[in-house]
Each structure stands twice: as structure tokens, then as C-alpha cells.
Amino acid sequence: MTLHKAIAHGTMATACALALNGMDPAAAACPCINMVDTPVAGVTDPCLSYDTAGTNLCYDKNYGFGQCDAHDQGLAPFCDAAADEYPGAPDWCIKSWCYVDPENCDVAFYPSAFFSQYNLYFSYEACGNTNSFSDWLDNKDSLSYEDIINIVEQYAIANKRAIEHALPQIDDHIRQASSLDRVELECASPSSCSCATCADDNCWGATLDTTKVNVIKSFEFDSSAVTRVDKVTLGCAYNTIETAFARVASREYNDNASVAYQYYGDQATGAMVQWPALEWCPTEFDARLRPWYAAAAAGPRDVVIVVDDSGSMSGPYLDLAKKAVRTVLRTLTWVDYVSVVSFDSAVKEIYSDTLVRATDAQLEAISAWANTKLVASGGTNFMEPLEKAYEILASSRDSNDRSTCQQLVLFLTDGDASFDQARMDALTDMHPDTVVFTYALGPGANSQAMHAMACSSGGVFYPVPFESDLPRTMASYYHYFAQQQNECDISWVGYADATTQTELIAACLPVYRQVENGTARSLSGVSCFDMNIVVSLAKLETCGSDEFSRFQKAIFKHAAKCPPQDGRPTECYLAKVREDAGMDVCPGEPLRSQACANAPPVQVNECVGLGGGYFADILIDECQEFEHECRIESFLQRYALYITVVVGTLAALAFCCTSLWCYCRGQNKLQRVSVDHEPTTPTQQVISSEKLSSPPAVQQQQHEQAQAQTAATNQPVQHSPPTQSAHQTQQDTQQVAQIHQMMQQQQMHEMQLQNQQLQQQVMLQQQQLVGQQNYQQALRQSGVGQLGGMIHGTNFPQPQQQLAGPAQPTFVNSQPLGAGNQLSASLQPQFVGQQMPAAHVGNQLELLNSQMTQMQQHQLLQQQQELLKMQLNRQNQPQ
């Protein structure tokens, strides 16, 4: 095996063996470059400076140059494993890589995030470091899903730690900066609204760049709801996130047809930093309202939504309530359970008396139910619907291994009703772990009752003076649970990408800041890592018999199991959440300042991941060769037009050649008919009557047998009258003419069908061109329905999240490849051994001219089709 093939195939042992023999692993496929050949040679400073979060790091000028090496090992900010505040390091810290010349490299390479000003590109694959899964298949005797889970969790934890390590430094840097303008300039980040390097990709169904990272803004990013400091903080964090995401992608992502994402949702702004970079400018996106975000922040939940649809809720209030229900539903994942109760003077409607799992089908059904069942009418009663919600939660508490799951009630009203404190105390005594979040919509709501309900259950009361804030406010319930959530508990979220329907599984973790002098944690965001980056689920599905199915069941079972909770939030954190919500202090509880004054510091745990042999017995073996369907479609799209042109050309040539051959053959037969005045014997008459149906060889054999029979008998021949020979010749001519006319009609019919097919293809491609233009325009303007898994985070795409408009165009040759062959073959058998009718000889050239006109029209349609294809290709090129 050559070195190049060893590296390309991912055979590390072979590459290393060649290296030991004096060959650099990067020497053949993609050589390392020297520092003197780059702009770095002109740097006068003794080292290369890398600024991160206000900290200046000095790297040796030979960093990454000259040879393959683990250049990052032991270096800050990512690979300094000795740093107490940053335990552990990502896998790429110990892997060899080097800077390469993109013009002289035929393996994967990425632009440097550290020193982009020097236009440098690095590659792990150039140094023989291939994707972990490929490396395992080549070198491990036994491979299990435990190996994949461990590497995915390692990357997810490393990304989380990198962000958590950078945030305090960023905060200090902004506080100490003389000018926020200067920091803002330093920390500029690219927006997904404009991506100059992004290109359309058929496999992804999106416009993207797999070598870059960019920021997808939330719908309120540019509003007064987001402070300038929060925007600058995210911009500075982007530099750290970009490096972490790009390094992992360059190390592991080796299949551009595999849909996969890394993403960080920011709590302060609702924006999301994402790899790969997308060109997408949404108007309704908010990362904080996505399922993966809530899952990582709060863990598995049992939720009952209680909605007031009394008469006072008529009009816009009821519409807001329905929207709020839909928004809360979209925060639920495949491991959550839910039901909905509506009320007026009593319980009015119940979706289910028991909790149902939040599958796509159920969430869609609940949303449709709410749209039809929530009808404003009647009075208001608080206690009966609240008791019903407790009853539904209690019936599910000891089932499905959910005895430790978070249980909560979201109670919405705009009305006024009496509140029975004694009945409320009885409920909390029986179900002390159930938390009630109350929402008073508008000035007419009984805020005192809602406040008392929240205080009694240890929950939070949200006054909602501005109606437009209701959906987001109700969907923010998970903040309450962020404090006691184990920061190392990875939330596994299964979903389908909304554009491609690709099945994905992501490992998500909360990202925290220490606040209140280290006595509490504040949720800064959520970071997720898709397993498809390491190996696509579609590939794993080809391995073994039922192992993949076992893995799916095991990962779901683990994700759905609720970890033991550490009780209620700390007094300090609960006071902070309530104060942020605008809630007054509950009777007998301290103010926030008092609660946090003497609180113990929060400990930062070193995350170790799931591991523990949980998946060790699910083996990965006998994986089959796998090719993504979109790659096959891309091949057909690329070559369908050429196939059509080639087949059409061959059909035209075959038709012309056959027509000329038939014309010449007919002329020869016509001459033979015109000079044949010899009388015929009865045997010869039989031969003449069989000419039209007998093959040429049979005709010749019959003619020789007749001559031999005449010579042998030496009998006088009875001459037939001359009129009989002329009559027979006329019959022959008429039969040939009929057959020739039928053939011409068949030819013309086939030509018309072929032209109709081409016309339909041209019209289809014109429609697809318009459809693609509409699709791209919608993709850039709409905030709904794109890349639902990581952007919208749906378990599976919701109907209201589907992007309107036509699908991406697919060019598949609709003309049968054998059409031309069938046309030419149909001309041959009937003309063999036949005489061309004299009446048609004179019109033969005119007929050929007419047929050539048909062929010219056929070729014109093909040219028009080719021009449309070129136009589509130009549109698919990077902008």
C-alpha cells in the first residue's frame, strides 16, 4: 500500500510504519509547508500573538510549520490540561497536524482560526489522522457503541469547558476595557445573513460552508431587549467557539454528504453560534425556545399546561394563549411527557387524563387540539383545574421509571377567582416535589392568588404586563431547574433535520457562569454536538443485524431516565430567579441580598461523561459499504443531460443511417421488379407470395430448390400469361407500400413522443429553476422550518416549521435510455429482402427531408435543455 493510499484509507499503522522508514506522512498527499514560504516569515516579533478574551498568548513562530506534530499539546487556551479551571482537554490536543498549501493538498484542510490574518490552512488528515471511526475500524480488534459514545461525550464536554473557561475572562476584559467600541471591533463575528463562502449543497438542502462557523441571530438580537454588552460578549466568545468547533470538524468530519452540526445557544441574546456556517437570515428564531436547549438546562420533565379559556380570554388573549401552548410544546423532547387542561368555572377540556410522551405525532395532535378546543366562554375557577393537574401528574409519577423526574404545572389566567389556601396546602403536602409556575396575563388577573399559588409550591410567579411576551415567558420555565441540574449530565436529544429529514442524535450540555461571588450558577447557554460528525447513523445502521436498533433503545432509555435531583434550588438561586421574573418576595423568605450573603460556593465538577460500560456489549461489526442517496442523486443530476444528449445523438444517427440504407435497398429492389418479365412456374409463384414474409436466406434456398426441381424433371414449362406476372408485381408493390407507410407512421409517432418527453423535461426544469430561486429566497428570509434539528431543535419537523415553497430541484432523466435503440431497431426487420414500391421512390427524398426537420426540432429542444442546465449550475456556484 502506498503512503498516499494509507493516509487516504485511514490506516494509521501503515502511515506510521512509513514514517519510521524516513517518510513524512504528509509528504505525498499533502506536504507540510515551511514558515519561510508564508507571510509569517515577515513577522518581526519573536512569537505569533493570539488574543483571546483579552489574554495575549505567545506561540512559537514555527508553530504548525515544517512537520507533522502534536503542535497544540500542553498549550493554552484549550490544551493546557494542568489548568485547574479547565480540567481535561479535547482529543485533538494530542493529534498531529501541520499547515498546508491548499493548492497542493488533496485531503481535507481548514482555515486557521488562530492566525487567519496570515491566510494559513491546517490539516490533520495530511498527517495520517483520520476520522476516529475509520481509524477504529482499521485498527481495533473489537469495536462497540461504547467507543462512539465516549468520543462524542468527550467532544461535547471539551466544547462546554472551552466556553466556560473563556466567559469569565471575557467579562473581565469588557469591565477593564477603556472603550466598549474597541472591544466590539476586536470581537466582531460573522452573521449568517451574509455568507460569502457558502454554497448550495444538495445533500444538506441548504447554503453552507463546512469549513467555517457563523452566528445565527435571534429575532430580538437587534432590539432593545438585548444589551450591547451581551452582544459584545457573544462576539468575543465566538472566537473561542469557532476554534473549538473547527478543530473538531477538521479532526472528525470526513464526509460532506453527512448532515451534522455543532452549536451553542446563548442565553443572553437567544442567538446561536454554529458549525457549519449557514447563509440564513431568520425573523423568528430564538435558540432559548428550542427543545435541545430546555433539555440540557432542565433534564426530562413531566408537564401539565393549565389554560384559562373563560369568557374574559376572548379575542387576542385567547390567540396569545394558543401561541403560548405551541411555544411550550416546542421546548419538549422525545423523553418528556405532557398533557393540557382548559378551564372556566370548572374543568372544561382535558387532552389526556394521563401524561403522553412528547413525540412529534403527539405534539402535533396537542397543538391541533388546543386550536380547536380552547374556546372563550364561562366564568373562572382556579382550584378545580389545579387539582386536576396534580392528579394527572400523580398518576404518572410511579410509572415508566419517572419517579425522580421534574414535575411542574404551568398555570395561565387573565381572570379573577377565589383562591383556597387550605386546599393548596393540602396539594403541596401530598406532592411536595411538584412545582407550580403561574402567569397573570394583563391587568385584570388576580395577581395575589397567582403569587400565593407559586409561593406555596416553591415556584415562580410571572406577571405579564406586555401580552406579546407571554409565549417566551412561559417557555422560560426551565431556568428554575438549571441550578440543581447536574452540569455533567449529558442530555441526548434525538431529532430529524427539518430540511433533509436526516435522523440525528445530539449530546447537549448546559454552560454556566458562577455568579453571586461564586455562590450560585447562572445558565449562560447550551452547547450540543451531533454524533453524525464522528459517524453517520445511516452508516451505523449497516453494521451487524439488530445492533443499531439495540443502541437506539439503549440511548433513549438512558436519556429518559431522570437522575436523582439535589432537592430544591438553593435559597440564593431561587431568590435570583424570582427577582428576575418580577416577583415579590414570598412571606417569611429573605431578600436576594440576604439569601446570597452567606451561601457556600458552588463547586465545579469535572465531567466524565456517560461511559461506564453502558453500551460496551453492543458491538459494531461487519459494516457494509455505504453511499449517501444524495450523492447518487447528485451524479444523476450532473450527468442526466449528457446521457440524454448522447442517447438522442445516437438515435438520430441510427435513424439517418437506417433511412439511407432503406432508400438504397428499395431502389435496387425496384429495378429488379421493373425488368422481371420472365414467366413463372407454380413453384415460383409460391416463392413470390412468400417474399414478404420469408427471411432472405429462406428465399434463396427456396429459389435454388425450384430450379433444381425443374432441371431434374426436364418437363416443359407451362408459361403463365404475361398479365399474371404484371398482376403479381402490382400486388407485391401494394403490400410493400402498405408496410412502408405503416413504418413511417410508427417512426413519426415515436419521434413525436420523444419530442413531447423533451418538451416536458424543458418545462419541468424551467419550473424547477423558478422553484429553486423561490426556495433560496425563502431560505434567506424565513425563520421557519430550516434545519429543524439544530436550529429549531424539533424531535421531528413540526408542520408549522416546514418551509413553504417547492423542494430543491432534482434533475433525473425521464427519457428511457433505450428509446433511441428501440426506434432504430424497429426499422430493420421489415425492410430486409423487400422491394421499395415505385410509387414511393419519387417521394423518398421529400420524406427524408421531413424527418430531418423533426430531428432538428429534437436537437433544438436538447440545446434548450442544456442551456437551462448551465443556468442552474451557475446559480449553484458560491456567491
Side-chain angles (χ1 to χ4, degrees):
M1 179 183 291
T2 65
L3 177 62
H4 176 70
K5 290 182 178 179
I7 295 175
H9 185 63
T11 309
M12 282 291 297
T14 305
C16 292
L18 293 170
L20 291 174
N21 289 328
M23 297 180 64
D24 190 337
C30 185
C32 299
I33 60 175
N34 295 313
M35 184 262 291
V36 296
D37 299 324
T38 70
V40 176
V43 177
T44 57
D45 294 336
C47 60
L48 296 177
S49 295
Y50 171 59
D51 292 324
T52 173
T55 302
N56 183 271
L57 301 176
C58 180
Y59 286 75
D60 188 276
K61 289 180 67 174
N62 288 313
Y63 169 82
F65 291 111
Q67 63 181 0
C68 292
D69 198 358
H71 296 284
D72 292 298
Q73 190 169 10
L75 298 181
F78 298 99
C79 303
D80 185 9
D84 294 335
E85 67 273 18
Y86 181 47
D91 175 73
W92 51 263
C93 289
I94 59 174
K95 299 299 181 181
S96 295
W97 64 276
C98 67
Y99 288 125
V100 299
D101 180 2
E103 301 296 328
N104 186 29
C105 184
D106 59 1
V107 297
F109 55 84
Y110 285 74
S112 170
F114 279 8
F115 308 113
S116 58
Q117 68 271 31
Y118 302 123
N119 198 30
L120 297 176
Y121 294 83
F122 68 95
S123 174
Y124 286 93
E125 193 172 350
C127 296
N129 281 306
T130 59
N131 165 272
S132 294
F133 184 76
S134 301
D135 189 25
W136 291 333
L137 288 180
D138 287 337
N139 297 290
K140 290 193 70 168
D141 295 332
S142 177
L143 179 63
S144 72
Y145 279 91
E146 184 84 2
D147 297 299
I148 298 176
I149 291 295
N150 285 337
I151 193 69
V152 169
E153 290 190 336
Q154 180 186 20
Y155 283 130
I157 292 170
N159 286 347
K160 163 193 166 71
R161 287 302 191 200
I163 301 169
E164 289 180 334
H165 177 64
L167 287 176
Q169 298 180 16
I170 294 172
D171 294 339
D172 291 341
H173 180 53
I174 292 176
R175 280 194 298 266
Q176 298 170 8
S178 58
S179 170
L180 188 60
D181 292 337
R182 183 176 62 84
V183 181
E184 188 174 34
L185 185 62
E186 292 174 356
C187 297
S189 58
S191 169
S192 64
C193 289
S194 177
C195 181
T197 61
C198 290
D200 294 340
D201 190 283
N202 177 62
C203 292
W204 288 69
T207 304
L208 54 89
D209 183 350
T210 57
T211 68
K212 299 291 181 64
V213 178
N214 63 7
V215 178
I216 300 173
K217 296 181 180 179
S218 66
F219 70 92
E220 64 177 18
F221 188 87
D222 294 320
S223 70
S224 59
V226 179
T227 68
R228 187 183 177 194
V229 170
D230 288 335
K231 296 178 186 177
V232 173
T233 300
L234 178 64
C236 293
Y238 167 83
N239 295 329
T240 297
I241 299 169
E242 177 194 24
T243 301
F245 285 3
R247 283 301 182 98
V248 174
S250 63
R251 168 76 176 93
E252 296 293 346
Y253 187 70
N254 66 348
D255 183 1
N256 287 337
S258 180
V259 176
Y261 307 98
Q262 298 177 82
Y263 41 105
Y264 167 74
D266 184 54
Q267 175 60 35
T269 65
M272 182 171 68
V273 183
Q274 175 192 276
W275 173 92
L278 276 182
E279 182 168 324
W280 187 55
C281 199
T283 57
E284 299 181 3
F285 173 73
D286 193 323
R288 297 165 296 192
L289 303 181
R290 306 322 319 144
W292 50 267
Y293 197 98
R301 290 142 289 163
D302 292 345
V303 183
V304 176
I305 307 171
V306 182
V307 182
D308 180 357
D309 63 349
S310 62
S312 61
M313 286 287 291
S314 61
Y317 276 12
L318 190 63
D319 292 337
L320 279 171
K322 292 178 180 180
K323 183 177 180 181
V325 170
R326 292 194 299 268
T327 304
V328 171
L329 292 177
R330 287 198 292 268
T331 66
L332 304 178
T333 71
W334 63 340
V335 296
D336 298 318
Y337 286 76
V338 63
S339 188
V340 182
V341 175
S342 70
F343 71 95
D344 48 21
S345 57
V347 174
K348 185 186 290 187
E349 300 284 352
I350 303 173
Y351 178 76
S352 174
D353 285 318
T354 59
L355 296 175
V356 297
R357 189 159 71 89
T359 63
D360 279 325
Q362 286 288 4
L363 294 178
E364 182 180 347
I366 296 173
S367 181
W369 177 91
N371 282 335
T372 58
K373 293 295 185 179
L374 296 183
V375 180
S377 64
T380 306
N381 184 317
F382 290 160
M383 296 311 299
E384 286 190 22
L386 183 63
E387 289 171 338
K388 184 62 180 178
Y390 270 86
E391 179 184 329
I392 293 173
L393 290 172
S395 67
S396 303
R397 187 164 187 79
D398 296 326
S399 63
N400 300 320
D401 194 26
R402 301 186 64 81
S403 59
T404 60
C405 286
Q406 309 280 10
Q407 292 203 323
L408 55 145
V409 177
L410 307 182
F411 194 100
L412 167 66
T413 184
D414 77 326
D416 186 12
S418 60
F419 175 70
D420 191 329
Q421 184 65 56
R423 291 169 69 179
M424 185 69 207
D425 291 341
L427 289 174
T428 57
D429 289 341
M430 293 176 60
H431 311 285
D433 295 329
T434 299
V435 182
V436 180
F437 299 85
T438 58
Y439 307 87
L441 178 60
N446 187 339
S447 297
Q448 183 177 358
M450 295 297 98
H451 184 275
M453 195 181 295
C455 288
S456 298
S457 66
V460 182
F461 163 59
Y462 294 86
V464 189
F466 302 104
E467 292 83 356
S468 60
D469 292 340
L470 176 63
R472 185 164 64 97
T473 301
M474 287 191 69
S476 300
Y477 63 87
Y478 54 80
H479 288 238
Y480 177 92
F481 302 102
Q483 170 71 19
Q484 66 264 39
Q485 179 75 356
N486 187 336
E487 64 174 316
C488 297
D489 279 343
I490 291 179
S491 297
W492 289 94
V493 181
Y495 62 93
D497 178 47
T499 301
T500 63
Q501 297 302 302
T502 301
E503 184 180 357
L504 299 170
I505 295 179
C508 298
L509 282 163
V511 175
Y512 293 107
R513 273 188 180 95
Q514 289 191 0
V515 295
E516 305 294 341
N517 296 320
T519 60
R521 296 181 309 185
S522 175
L523 182 66
S524 297
V526 169
S527 179
C528 295
F529 183 94
D530 278 347
M531 183 181 292
N532 266 26
I533 295 174
V534 177
V535 56
S536 71
L537 301 184
K539 172 67 175 178
L540 290 175
E541 202 167 357
T542 70
C543 303
S545 55
D546 65 339
E547 282 78 3
F548 181 72
S549 177
R550 290 178 58 203
F551 163 71
Q552 286 182 308
K553 294 177 181 177
I555 198 73
F556 173 79
K557 182 177 180 181
H558 182 83
K561 185 177 181 180
C562 302
Q565 304 300 323
D566 296 329
R568 299 281 179 160
T570 64
E571 194 175 57
C572 173
Y573 183 76
L574 180 58
K576 176 183 181 301
V577 172
R578 286 174 169 174
E579 183 178 299
D580 292 343
M583 176 181 176
D584 294 335
V585 177
C586 293
E589 294 186 359
L591 298 173
R592 175 177 175 178
S593 58
Q594 297 172 335
C596 297
N598 300 316
V602 175
Q603 298 297 321
V604 177
N605 299 319
E606 181 174 354
C607 302
V608 295
L610 177 59
Y614 196 80
F615 300 93
D617 63 334
I618 308 178
L619 302 181
I620 299 175
D621 195 13
E622 298 179 356
C623 297
Q624 305 299 315
E625 292 294 330
F626 174 76
E627 183 67 42
H628 291 274
E629 291 183 2
C630 63
R631 284 294 181 240
I632 301 174
E633 293 175 0
S634 297
F635 176 85
L636 292 176
Q637 291 177 10
R638 180 177 299 178
Y639 296 108
L641 179 63
Y642 302 108
I643 294 172
T644 302
V645 171
V646 170
V647 171
T649 303
L650 291 176
L653 290 174
F655 174 78
C656 293
C657 294
T658 305
S659 298
L660 290 174
W661 179 83
C662 293
Y663 172 73
C664 296
R665 184 72 172 173
Q667 286 283 59
N668 181 42
K669 298 293 284 185
L670 182 62
Q671 292 174 1
R672 290 169 55 187
V673 169
S674 63
V675 299
D676 187 11
H677 295 294
E678 294 297 327
T680 58
T681 64
T683 306
Q684 289 173 325
Q685 292 178 19
V686 174
I687 295 174
S688 298
S689 66
E690 293 177 351
K691 281 183 180 179
L692 295 178
S693 59
S694 301
V698 177
Q699 294 177 20
Q700 179 65 24
Q701 182 181 4
Q702 291 173 341
H703 183 67
E704 292 175 354
Q705 290 174 352
Q707 289 180 335
Q709 181 180 1
T710 301
T713 56
N714 199 20
Q715 297 291 332
V717 178
Q718 300 294 328
H719 296 282
S720 300
T723 55
Q724 182 181 4
S725 177
H727 177 70
Q728 184 64 44
T729 301
Q730 184 178 4
Q731 288 182 343
D732 291 348
T733 301
Q734 289 176 351
Q735 293 185 36
V736 172
Q738 291 175 357
I739 292 175
H740 187 62
Q741 184 177 4
M742 292 173 59
M743 290 176 55
Q744 288 178 328
Q745 292 175 352
Q746 178 67 19
Q747 295 168 23
M748 295 303 298
H749 178 66
E750 292 181 357
M751 288 296 298
Q752 290 173 357
L753 288 178
Q754 201 169 19
N755 285 336
Q756 289 175 1
Q757 288 178 345
L758 282 173
Q759 288 174 348
Q760 290 173 358
Q761 283 184 314
V762 170
M763 292 176 62
L764 177 61
Q765 291 186 0
Q766 288 174 334
Q767 294 172 357
Q768 289 172 335
L769 176 59
V770 174
Q772 188 183 38
Q773 292 169 343
N774 292 339
Y775 179 88
Q776 296 299 334
Q777 182 179 3
L779 184 65
R780 292 168 173 81
Q781 295 178 356
S782 172
V784 182
Q786 278 303 295
L787 302 172
M790 60 66 211
I791 291 180
H792 293 280
T794 57
N795 301 337
F796 294 96
Q798 299 296 324
Q800 63 269 22
Q801 297 169 338
Q802 297 289 344
L803 180 66
Q808 287 279 36
T810 302
F811 306 100
V812 180
N813 184 13
S814 61
Q815 177 182 348
L817 296 180
N821 293 332
Q822 293 170 0
L823 177 63
S824 61
S826 66
L827 299 177
Q828 296 176 6
Q830 294 93 335
F831 276 85
V832 177
Q834 297 179 11
Q835 298 177 355
M836 182 68 69
H840 285 260
V841 172
N843 297 328
Q844 185 66 29
L845 289 176
E846 181 179 350
L847 174 63
L848 288 175
N849 290 334
S850 174
Q851 292 170 338
M852 288 304 295
T853 301
Q854 291 285 338
M855 290 304 302
Q856 290 173 355
Q857 294 176 356
H858 183 86
Q859 293 172 352
L860 181 62
L861 287 170
Q862 288 179 329
Q863 293 173 359
Q864 185 178 2
Q865 196 177 29
E866 184 175 4
L867 289 174
L868 282 171
K869 181 65 176 180
M870 292 173 63
Q871 186 176 358
L872 286 170
N873 286 337
R874 284 197 300 271
Q875 182 170 344
N876 287 332
Q877 294 300 316
Q879 301 296 321

